[in-house]
Amino acid sequence: MVQATSPAAMLQTVSFVLSVGELQQLPPDSGAEVAFAGRSNAGKSSAINAICGRHKLAFVSRTPGRTQLINYFRLGESAHLVDLPGYGYARVPAAVRAGWEQLLGGYLQRRRALRGLFLIMDIRHPLTSLDRQMLDWLAPTGAPVQVLLTKADKLTRQAARRQLADTVAALARPYPGVEACLFSSVDRTGVEEARAVLARWLAG
Ligand code: GDP
C-alpha cells in the first residue's frame, strides 16, 4: 500500500524496476499504476523527474535501446509509475510504428491496474493526432487523464493561459473529463498540482 503521507515524501521512494518491450512481459496486472505518455521531446522525462523530485530518474528511458520500451518505476510497496515510449518521430519505419501501436494501444486499452494517465504535450504544439490516438485508446476504460502542457515557461503568462483555455475547450467535447494544466520543469509550474493528482489517483 502507498501510505497517504505528503505526495513529495511518497515520491522519494521511487526506483527503476524494469523495461518491457512486449505486452506479455508486463508485471502482473495488480496494484496501482500511473502512466506518463507523450510525443518525443515534449518534456516527458523532465516532467517525471520534476514530479518525483529527482534529477535523472526518467532518463534511464533515454538510454540507447530503451526509448521504445515501457519503463517501470516502483513507488512504495505495490504501486508503479510507468513511463510509456515517446511517439511521433518524423521518420520511423512502418514496422516500428506498428510495434509501438501494439504496445501502447494494448497497454492503454487493457491495463486494469492503470489508475490514471499524465499526457505530456509541449504547450506550443498540443493535441497532435497521436495525442488524440492515446486519448481514444484510453477513453473506453474511463481512466482519468491529466494533460500537462509543458514548457509553459517558453510563453508569456498571458499566452500560456490562452493556450490552456484553448486546449481545455478543444478537449471538452471529444474527451469530457480530461483535465489540463500548465506545467514547467524549469520554473516548476504545475509540479505540486501534478503531485496532488498522482497521490489522489493512487489513493483512490
Ligand atoms: P522527452 O523526450 O519527452 O522525455 O523530453 P525531455 O524531458 O528529454 O525534454 C526534451 C527537451 O526539452 C530537453 O532539451 C529539455 O531540457 C527541454 N524541456 C523539457 N521540459 C522543459 C520545460 O518545462 N521548459 C523548458 N524550457 N524546456 C524543457
Side-chain angles (χ1 to χ4, degrees):
M1 285 294 291
V2 175
Q3 298 301 316
T5 50
S6 76
M10 177 183 75
L11 286 163
Q12 278 172 6
T13 67
V14 75
S15 61
F16 176 70
V17 186
L18 85 166
S19 300
V20 171
E22 290 173 34
L23 290 172
Q24 297 87 323
Q25 300 168 338
L26 287 172
D29 195 358
S30 58
E33 295 178 9
V34 169
F36 293 77
R39 190 176 136 171
S40 302
N41 215 40
K44 175 165 57 71
S45 306
S46 303
I48 295 172
N49 290 334
I51 291 167
C52 295
R54 303 276 286 273
H55 291 304
K56 290 197 185 141
L57 188 68
F59 287 109
V60 65
S61 58
R62 311 209 69 197
T63 52
R66 286 224 166 109
T67 54
Q68 295 300 315
L69 303 178
I70 295 180
N71 294 291
Y72 266 78
F73 299 88
R74 181 172 293 122
L75 193 56
E77 289 293 306
S78 61
H80 289 105
L81 297 188
V82 182
D83 183 8
L84 298 171
Y87 47 79
Y89 276 118
R91 285 184 292 275
V92 287
V96 172
R97 185 176 161 129
W100 74 246
E101 275 187 2
Q102 209 174 21
L103 191 62
L104 275 173
Y107 177 86
L108 292 174
Q109 292 171 97
R110 293 200 288 279
R111 191 71 175 166
R112 287 193 306 269
L114 184 60
R115 295 289 167 79
L117 175 73
F118 285 104
L119 190 52
I120 316 300
M121 301 179 195
D122 185 321
I123 193 164
R124 299 163 300 173
H125 319 283
L127 277 177
T128 65
S129 58
L130 290 171
D131 294 330
R132 289 173 191 270
Q133 172 72 86
M134 301 299 126
L135 293 167
D136 289 337
W137 275 328
L138 193 62
T141 72
V145 180
Q146 177 79 36
V147 171
L148 302 182
L149 291 176
T150 56
K151 311 193 188 181
D153 59 283
K154 290 203 180 245
L155 299 184
T156 63
R157 215 168 262 228
Q158 192 188 15
R161 273 203 228 107
R162 197 178 322 122
Q163 187 70 308
L164 174 61
D166 289 350
T167 305
V168 167
L171 285 165
R173 194 186 286 254
Y175 308 108
V178 170
E179 312 240 357
C181 67
L182 299 178
F183 193 90
S184 167
S185 48
V186 170
D187 69 16
R188 305 186 57 76
T189 295
V191 170
E192 288 309 324
E193 192 174 345
R195 285 178 176 170
V197 169
L198 176 61
R200 200 175 67 230
W201 284 344
L202 289 177

